[in-house]
């Protein structure tokens, strides 16, 4: 078992074993802590534009599909992808696909104005999309801010999703303690009304209290950003009330966070073992991971 360096020094052997197991059993909501909260620039979009400009419409359509499936697209890139997709579908006389692509574009960028010099096929398709009522091609998130919360208690974040085009796959809440650089994310499957819960063990007690920065994001199945309330560089905030803490290691915020990883991970492991063939699933712990 490797030694583990934790805030404030190297843990004792017994504590290292506990935390080592916790790291190996990290559940989904904690794994998100290692991800960047920023969206990613799309490398396929410039290629698709170049193919379109050279009238290579079929290759451009294939490249755009790869662009859609690129992980963690930015909203502006998604809007441009669907704009270009609508143009190609119009040229290929795919009227229904063209209209849907324009509807998605207008959901992502409601103020979009079509250039006046586009061919009639594209103009007619765009006008069809404009005739669709706004409430059938909108995309919006509303959420209830939690206010000040108690430490060591879960925080439910109710989110209303307006998505008649059914673009949203998951609703994410990214959060971090003020002063911490990295966000942690929790998420829930998309629905009209979603409650995303920040775990109690992520809100450790502090004698002075503190603020938590957060933002809400709706993503597609490839985690492309469709809509946000707040953002990684302009987060919202809620407060955590002061709470009594001791002077030993259990008073440290990282102790309760990592202990929560162990508790959730152990529960997940129990479920996997129970569902394994014959009620048993062999698992080998190795440095840095879990091997079947």
């Amino acid at each position: 078992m490797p030694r583990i360096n934790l805030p404030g020094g190297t843990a004792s052997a017994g504590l290292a074993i506990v935390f080592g197991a916790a790291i190996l059993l990290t559940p989904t909501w904690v794994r998100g802590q290692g991800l960047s909260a920023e969206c990613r620039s799309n490398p396929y979009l410039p290629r698709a534009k170049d193919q379109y400009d050279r009238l290579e419409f079929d290759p451009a359509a294939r490249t755009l599909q790869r662009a859609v499936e690129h992980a963690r697209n930015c909203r502006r890139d998604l809007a441009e992808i669907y704009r270009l997709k609508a143009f190609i579908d119009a040229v290929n006389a795919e009227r229904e696909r063209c209209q849907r692509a324009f509807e998605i574009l207008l959901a992502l960028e409601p103020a979009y104005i079509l250039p006046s010099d586009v061919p009639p096929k594209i103009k007619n398709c765009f006008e069809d999309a404009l005739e669709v009522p706004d409430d059938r091609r909108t995309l919006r998130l509303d959420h209830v801010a939690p206010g000040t919360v108690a430490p060591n208690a879960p925080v439910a974040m109710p989110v209303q999703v307006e998505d008649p085009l059914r673009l949203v796959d998951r609703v994410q809440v990214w959060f971090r303690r003020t002063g911490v650089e990295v966000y942690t994310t929790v998420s829930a499957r998309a629905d009209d009304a979603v409650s995303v819960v920040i775990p109690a063990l992520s809100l450790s007690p502090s004698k002075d209290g503190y603020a938590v920065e957060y933002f809400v994001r709706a993503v597609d199945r490839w985690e492309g950003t469709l809509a946000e309330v707040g953002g990684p560089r302009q987060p919202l905030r809620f407060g955590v009330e002061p709470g009594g803490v001791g002077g030993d290691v259990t008073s440290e915020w990282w102790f309760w966070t990592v202990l929560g990883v162990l508790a959730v991970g152990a529960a997940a492991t129990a479920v996997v073992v129970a569902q394994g063939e014959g009620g048993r699933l062999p698992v080998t712990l190795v440095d840095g991971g879990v091997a079947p």
Side-chain angles (χ1 to χ4, degrees):
M1 172 66 65
R3 295 184 66 80
I4 301 170
N5 292 325
L6 296 171
T10 302
S12 65
L15 194 57
I17 292 174
V18 171
F19 288 117
I23 291 170
L24 294 175
L25 297 172
T26 304
T28 301
W29 65 266
V30 178
R31 281 203 302 271
Q33 191 171 9
L35 298 176
S36 171
E38 300 287 349
C39 61
R40 297 172 60 196
S41 180
N42 195 303
Y44 299 105
L45 189 52
R47 185 190 310 172
K49 289 180 179 179
D50 181 63
Q51 290 169 330
Y52 178 83
D53 290 340
R54 288 188 277 113
L55 307 182
E56 298 174 358
F57 300 126
D58 289 341
R62 291 192 293 270
T63 303
L64 281 175
Q65 185 58 38
R66 298 184 70 180
V68 169
E69 297 174 2
H70 179 65
R72 303 208 308 276
N73 271 311
C74 298
R75 177 172 174 145
R76 62 181 179 274
D77 283 348
L78 282 174
E80 182 62 11
I81 288 167
Y82 284 104
R83 181 197 70 82
L84 196 54
K85 186 178 185 308
F87 279 31
I88 293 173
D89 288 338
V91 170
N92 289 335
E94 297 282 357
R95 190 66 172 262
E96 291 184 3
R97 292 183 179 181
C98 172
Q99 180 176 328
R100 176 168 172 81
F102 270 135
E103 288 178 22
I104 295 173
L105 168 63
L106 290 169
L108 294 170
E109 194 175 326
Y112 175 78
I113 299 175
L114 188 72
S116 59
D117 58 349
V118 298
K121 282 186 177 181
I122 296 176
K123 182 178 180 181
N124 293 337
C125 182
F126 182 70
E127 289 175 349
D128 288 345
L130 282 178
E131 290 178 2
V132 175
D134 289 348
D135 60 0
R136 287 175 49 193
R137 53 174 174 80
T138 189
L139 181 59
R140 185 166 58 244
L141 295 178
D142 291 311
H143 89 295
V144 179
T148 302
V149 303
N152 280 343
V155 175
M157 195 84 67
V159 181
Q160 294 289 329
V161 182
E162 193 170 350
D163 177 32
L165 294 172
R166 296 301 176 191
L167 304 173
V168 180
D169 183 69
R170 300 192 72 85
V171 176
Q172 302 173 333
V173 173
W174 295 74
F175 66 96
R176 66 185 180 187
R177 185 167 173 166
T178 300
V180 176
E181 293 185 2
V182 180
Y183 283 96
T184 298
T185 179
V186 288
S187 67
R189 189 64 68 178
D191 203 344
D192 294 341
V194 178
S195 184
V196 186
V197 179
I198 298 177
L201 290 167
S202 293
L203 303 174
S204 57
S206 168
K207 64 179 180 179
D208 298 320
Y210 54 91
V212 172
E213 298 177 333
Y214 75 98
F215 63 95
V216 183
R217 174 182 287 169
V219 299
D220 62 18
R221 60 182 296 189
W222 298 281
E223 296 198 50
T225 299
L226 297 168
E228 285 184 328
V229 180
R233 301 188 184 186
Q234 296 178 323
L236 308 174
R237 288 190 176 193
F238 66 85
V240 178
E241 298 172 347
V245 295
D248 60 5
V249 68
T250 61
S251 67
E252 300 291 344
W253 66 267
W254 49 262
F255 176 90
W256 295 105
T257 300
V258 179
L259 190 60
V261 174
L262 177 60
V264 177
T269 302
V271 172
V272 171
V273 172
Q275 293 178 348
E277 183 177 354
R280 297 177 62 83
L281 179 63
V283 176
T284 302
L285 298 183
V286 297
D287 289 353
V290 178

